[in-house]
Structure formats: structure tokens, C-alpha cells
Amino acid sequence: MTSGRAAAGTRKMAAEASGALKQRNPSGSISTAGRHRFRSDPSPVACGGAGGGARPVQIVAADEAAHSFSLQEAELERLLLQEAVQDLQVVVVSVAGAFRKGKSFLLDFMLRYMYQQDSVSWMGGEEEPLTGFSWRGGCERETTGILAWSDVFVVEKPDGRQVAVLLMDTQGAFDSQSTVRDCATLFALSTMTSSVQVYNLSQNVQEDDLQHLQLFTEYGRLAMEQVYEKPFQSLMFLIRDWSYPYEHPYGLEGGRSFLDKRLQLTQHQHEELQAVRRHVRSCFSHIGCFLLPHPGLQVATNPHFDGRLRDIDQDFRQELGALVPALLAPRNLVEKEIGGARVTCRDLLHYFKAYMKIYQGEELPHPKSMLQATAEANNLAAVAGAREVYHSGMEQVCGGDKPYLSPAELERRHAELRRAAVRRFCSVKKMGGDDFCRRYQEQLEAELDDAYANFCKHNDGKNIFHAARTPATLFAVVLAMYAAALLTGFLGVASVAALCRLVMGVALAALCIWVYVKYSGQFREVGGAIDHVAEALWEQRSPRQVFSKLLEAVWTRVPLGVLVPWPRPRLTSNNNVKKKN
């Protein structure tokens, strides 16, 4: 039911955003007009949308009836595991806050900047409707769950490094259909996975805004006490509709002076107020504030407003032109870090999965559970990286197009790559402590040993003699039994000759069945059993051992008197007796 509603919501938003790229650069284009090179890499999801345009993608779906959330893993994997971005360090910019406060509206201007940031007029034309994330006027909520834009942008920073930029839109908090737990879950999840969290507020920073922020980040504070690190990265207070520019001017500078005053600790403050402010400062590595003016009455009251610049006040446009580059300009991008290590798109997928596990129950997670989930994702990412080192190395040694390698050399190379993979795992900064990490190291070593066994089988399959082991063994048994049958028949041991002919017939039938299985691909279990028996005979190493086993079976089943005739007593005739007499 959850996936069905999520899919329906996604189709609706895709229809509303189908024209998003009509006036933008084509998806996947490279622009070198400005100082920094910029590229947009469309995901498979975007390519499959209506008209080939990019669109919002539901990555966390909300079940309103059950008040629960589910991770849309397939959609997230399409975004983060694209070949062009999966190994790039990721920048995640998320906008969260109360519902109906213009979060999606702001994100669509961010999209315009990402598509046209090298252009002076990146905001678009005066008559251009605003498209992208679904938004509208009114008092009812629009966004549910967490959405991400289907284009993952690749940006080159001033130092030459390329990073992937992901934009996320979060369901508004405190609407009439969401519980406090729902709001806390979404805000905490978006904050844990983002490198920059934009806290969208209206008109001012009130005490309840800080208290809600304290609630949403409480788990981060407790986790910080365990790992002695600040759990979250960058928080940007965005104060919309700021009406006091004569006290604190619009922009970052006015926001900084305003926030310093709002978060100031004074001697006469109540202990509860001091605790809230200490908590907020202790949970984020960097805290900023931006004061944004009102966009104008035409925006707020016109039901037909569609985002055209002509309807937006000039002050708002001017400050918006400063806000968006402050977040998304190449020199200002902040890569996602967890535990002091920068995170790639591939790693972010592991963290999303681990974090979502702790939100599947009926209660908010215990803070230690969040720490454990973070440590688990951290160690899983380290295991995945170490495993990749081993697999890529072994593919170079005995991959699909590589010739057969001797078992001794293959084992030596396996040992070297295994040690390299373990060193890679140990070199990554991990959370959870030595005992916790040791379990994942043991898991890694077991996985590498299993992978080595598979590589050995793959390598043996390239050996023509190994491939011919079963038919050669069966054919040798047929010849040996045929010769044994002739010999024992000549000696007059008919029972042994019959047994040899029986074994010869069974071996010949097994050989025919094996050929049919290999040719048709059917009855593979039978073919595997024949291979197993042939391998057991082959491992005897010498004909003497093979025949000793066969003769042992014969001696246990055939009486000795049948094989070797006993001497018969001679009968004396009456004539001889008479002669003696």
C-alpha cells in the first residue's frame, strides 16, 4: 500500500514537473562558460521520465495511515549508484521546517542555479514559470516524505576535485496529519544524511523553534557523547519574510548578528533556555543564518501565481541571488562527513539503509540505537570498500578473460590481496569501538575466503584437463572394467567377470548421461553427482588405489570359495580296492 501511494504521488509530481527542463540546459550537458566547470549527470530515473526530463523522486515514502516511513531503495540506488557519481564525494543540501513556508519554492530556484550557475541571469526570464519540485499556494501541505531531484549534479570545486550534489525536499513539519514522531523522524533523517540542513522559518526565531530543533537533534547530542564528535554538520537558519531590516539587515551578515544575539547565553537566563542554546551549538559543526525579505503580496495572495519573476519583489530577488550561491557555489559546497570521513554516493546509500532500520518500529529510536546504526553503516561502508579492493585485484589476476593460473600462484596472490583488503578496512575511520569493528573485520575475512573459493572454481574451469576430468575418469573405468571382465572370464571366475561388466555398464551409462547434461543444461543435479563421484575416483591418485577399492567391494560381496576353487577329494573305485586285496 505504501509503495502504491508513493508511486502515485511520484507520477503526479512527475506530471507537474514534466516541463522542468524545457528552458534549461539539456540533461547531462557540460557548461564551461564560467570559472568552474559544471556538469549535470541525469540518473536513469530522470531519463525515464515523461519527455526525458528530470523530476522529483520519492526516496522516503510516508504511510499516513500507519504513521510510518519506508525507504524506496530501488529509486535511491538509481540515483546514487550511477557509474559517473557512485565514487564521488557527495554534497547533500536539504530544506526542512514547518509546512507551507515555501521550501519547495526555494528549492526550485536552487535547481535553476544548478542548471545555469555559469550564467549571470541564472534566475531565468521575467515570464518563465517556476518548475521543478512540486509547489503551490494555499494552506494545505504539498510534499510528503522526502524527495530528491533525479539529476545528481557533478561540480568541479576550485581545487579541481569533482563532487556530486544532491538536492532534497522534506515534508513540512507540524501539519494536521503528522504526529510529533513523524516530524522528528523526517527532520532527524534529513539532518543525518545531509551536509547542509536549511532550517526554514518564518519571520523570526522563536523559542519553540529552538525547542523543536532540540527535540529533533536530541539523538545526535546523545550520540555525540558516545563518540565525542558533533553528530551533524552545517545548519543554516533561513528566516523568511524578515520585517526588521532596520535592526538586522538582510543577508548573511545581518543573519549572523541576529543569530548571535538569539543564541546568546546570559547570566540571568533560565537554566532551560541556556540548555536549549548549548544543545543547538553542540550538535552542529557550523551554524549560520540568512535573513530573507518577503517576496511580495502578489506572491502571497494571488492564487494564480506560478513563480514568474515579474511578480516577485526586487528586494527578495536581490537577496535570493545572494542566498543560493552562498549554499551552492563551487567554493561554498560542503561535502558530507560522518565520523570525520568524507562520504561518497555509494556510502550514502548504506547510511540511508542503516538509518531507516531504526525508524521501522513504533517508538522513536533509543539514542544508542542511532549510534549503533551509524557505526553499522560506517563499518559496512568500510567492508564494501575493502571487498572492492580484493575483487578488483582478483579480477586482474584471474578474471573472465585471464588465462589459467596455477593453484599455488593463485593462492599466493589471494593471500596478498586479502591482507591488502584487511589493511584498507583497518585504515578507514570507523565508529563503534574495537570489539564492534572486529566483528565486521571477521565478516570481511569470511567473505573474502568465500570469494576465493569461487575464484578457484572459476580458474579451474579454464583448465582443459580439469574440464575433461569426469569423462576421462569414466572412460578409464570403462576400459579397466572391460579388461578385468576379459581377464576374469578367461580365468573362469564368472561371478567377478559379471560384476566387472556391470560396473562397466554403469560407468558407460553415467558417461552418456553426463554428456547429455552438459549439452542440454537439464538435470544439473544428476550431472553434479556424477562429477562428485568422478572427482572422488580421480583423487585416489593411482590405479592401484582405485582397483583396491573396487576389489575390496568385490571381496566383501563374493564368497572366497567362489573365486578360488578348493581341491576336490579323489574317489577310489572298487577295482582299485579289489587289486589291493
Side-chain angles (χ1 to χ4, degrees):
M1 182 180 296
T2 301
S3 59
R5 277 197 288 266
T10 302
R11 287 194 295 269
K12 175 184 176 183
M13 287 179 285
E16 294 174 347
S18 61
L21 297 182
K22 290 183 179 178
Q23 298 180 351
R24 297 177 179 151
N25 291 338
S27 185
S29 64
I30 299 178
S31 174
T32 56
R35 176 182 176 184
H36 305 291
R37 195 178 75 170
F38 166 80
R39 184 175 70 213
S40 165
D41 284 285
S43 69
V45 179
C47 296
R55 61 182 178 86
V57 176
Q58 192 92 43
I59 59 175
V60 176
D63 186 343
E64 296 180 1
H67 290 282
S68 62
F69 300 95
S70 60
L71 183 67
Q72 306 300 295
E73 293 188 17
E75 302 288 1
L76 195 59
E77 288 174 357
R78 290 190 188 101
L79 287 178
L80 300 179
L81 295 186
Q82 300 175 68
E83 185 176 353
V85 301
Q86 61 181 353
D87 294 321
L88 294 181
Q89 294 170 357
V90 64
V91 176
V92 185
V93 178
S94 173
V95 181
F99 80 113
R100 307 310 305 156
K101 299 299 182 183
K103 296 183 297 298
S104 302
F105 179 79
L106 173 67
L107 276 164
D108 287 341
F109 279 106
M110 291 185 183
L111 287 176
R112 283 190 176 181
Y113 179 81
M114 294 305 296
Y115 280 107
Q116 302 182 30
Q117 66 170 297
D118 291 320
S119 173
V120 176
S121 57
W122 59 265
M123 286 191 190
E126 292 287 329
E127 299 296 329
E128 181 181 353
L130 188 62
T131 56
F133 288 97
S134 177
W135 67 275
R136 60 176 177 82
C139 60
E140 298 298 329
R141 74 176 185 184
E142 180 70 10
T143 304
T144 60
I146 296 179
L147 304 176
W149 191 246
S150 60
D151 276 359
V152 179
F153 303 96
V154 177
V155 179
E156 185 173 297
K157 300 191 69 176
D159 59 4
R161 291 185 300 109
Q162 286 189 335
V163 295
V165 180
L166 182 68
L167 299 182
M168 293 198 317
D169 190 10
T170 306
Q171 173 181 324
F174 310 118
D175 62 89
S176 60
Q177 303 177 47
S178 301
T179 64
V180 174
R181 175 183 177 271
D182 296 338
C183 301
T185 298
L186 285 176
F187 193 101
L189 181 61
S190 64
T191 307
M192 294 168 71
T193 53
S194 63
S195 55
V196 177
Q197 177 71 291
V198 178
Y199 190 18
N200 191 71
L201 299 173
S202 177
Q203 298 182 348
N204 210 329
V205 177
Q206 301 180 149
E207 195 61 30
D208 61 335
D209 297 324
L210 296 178
Q211 291 173 356
H212 292 147
L213 184 61
Q214 181 188 30
L215 170 65
F216 299 156
T217 56
E218 174 67 13
Y219 302 130
R221 185 189 66 82
L222 295 179
M224 182 199 67
E225 292 179 355
Q226 296 289 333
V227 299
Y228 305 102
E229 291 181 2
K230 294 188 176 183
F232 305 133
Q233 280 183 263
S234 182
L235 175 68
M236 170 69 77
F237 284 91
L238 177 59
I239 314 302
R240 307 288 287 270
D241 306 341
W242 179 250
S243 303
Y244 316 107
Y246 49 86
E247 293 184 353
H248 301 282
Y250 300 130
L252 284 173
E253 291 300 325
R256 182 179 297 109
S257 62
F258 166 75
L259 189 64
D260 288 343
K261 186 175 181 179
R262 184 65 74 220
L263 297 182
Q264 183 180 8
L265 295 174
T266 63
Q267 187 176 6
H268 302 290
Q269 269 181 334
H270 190 276
E271 182 180 352
E272 178 182 342
L273 302 178
Q274 293 183 3
V276 171
R277 285 153 177 78
R278 290 195 186 97
H279 173 89
V280 172
R281 289 190 180 277
S282 66
C283 282
F284 293 91
S285 301
H286 177 266
I287 299 177
C289 181
F290 195 99
L291 304 179
L292 195 63
H294 195 283
L297 291 178
Q298 185 73 6
V299 175
T301 60
N302 185 3
H304 304 293
F305 174 70
D306 59 0
R308 299 174 193 265
L309 289 179
R310 70 179 184 190
D311 298 326
I312 301 176
D313 283 1
Q314 185 61 35
D315 287 345
F316 182 89
R317 292 162 59 173
Q318 180 179 347
E319 297 304 327
L320 184 65
L323 168 65
V324 176
L327 295 172
L328 297 176
R331 65 181 181 277
N332 297 326
L333 292 176
V334 179
E335 294 96 326
K336 177 63 181 172
E337 294 183 3
I338 296 180
R342 290 175 178 172
V343 174
T344 64
C345 288
R346 188 200 304 269
D347 298 335
L348 185 63
L349 176 64
H350 292 293
Y351 285 111
F352 257 108
K353 292 180 179 179
Y355 291 152
M356 278 304 299
K357 287 182 181 179
I358 64 178
Y359 293 111
Q360 300 301 321
E362 292 298 324
E363 300 296 332
L364 282 173
H366 190 276
K368 275 194 173 181
S369 298
M370 185 172 293
L371 172 64
Q372 186 176 4
T374 304
E376 178 183 354
N378 186 206
N379 280 269
L380 285 175
V383 168
R387 188 169 55 236
E388 183 65 24
V389 169
Y390 176 83
H391 278 275
S392 60
M394 290 297 287
E395 284 293 334
Q396 295 294 324
V397 172
C398 61
D401 57 346
K402 301 298 180 181
Y404 172 76
L405 189 66
S406 67
E409 178 66 14
L410 182 62
E411 184 177 4
R412 185 183 69 81
R413 299 299 295 274
H414 156 72
E416 292 177 356
L417 291 170
R418 187 177 187 272
R419 288 193 295 269
V422 173
R423 284 197 303 270
R424 168 67 180 273
F425 174 83
C426 296
S427 65
V428 175
K429 292 183 179 180
K430 297 179 292 298
M431 303 170 66
D434 293 337
D435 293 338
F436 187 87
C437 297
R438 190 175 298 112
R439 295 202 300 267
Y440 284 90
Q441 180 176 341
E442 293 171 358
Q443 173 187 334
L444 171 65
E445 293 172 351
E447 291 178 1
L448 297 184
D449 292 337
D450 293 340
Y452 172 64
N454 293 329
F455 278 113
C456 286
K457 293 179 180 179
H458 180 69
N459 186 62
D460 289 341
K462 301 176 183 179
N463 187 351
I464 186 173
F465 297 100
H466 183 274
R469 176 179 296 181
T470 297
T473 302
L474 295 176
F475 188 72
V477 171
V478 169
L479 290 181
M481 291 300 99
Y482 178 75
L486 291 179
L487 179 61
T488 52
F490 177 79
L491 295 178
V493 188
S495 60
V496 176
L499 181 60
C500 291
R501 285 192 293 270
L502 176 62
V503 174
M504 180 183 67
V506 171
L508 187 60
L511 179 60
C512 295
I513 294 173
W514 183 87
V515 172
Y516 175 78
V517 168
K518 294 301 180 182
Y519 174 78
S520 65
Q522 300 178 355
F523 309 108
R524 291 184 299 174
E525 294 79 8
V526 177
I530 295 174
D531 285 331
H532 182 71
V533 173
E535 184 176 2
L537 293 176
W538 183 276
E539 293 298 330
Q540 298 304 315
R541 301 289 183 180
S542 68
R544 176 183 176 185
Q545 290 177 322
V546 174
F547 283 110
S548 66
K549 285 188 172 293
L550 292 176
L551 291 176
E552 180 181 358
V554 170
W555 284 110
T556 57
R557 289 169 174 78
V558 182
L560 182 63
V562 177
L563 299 177
V564 182
W566 294 95
R568 298 179 181 179
R570 298 182 62 184
L571 298 177
T572 57
S573 64
N574 293 332
N575 293 333
N576 293 335
V577 173
K578 290 179 180 180
K579 288 180 180 180
K580 290 181 179 180
N581 293 333

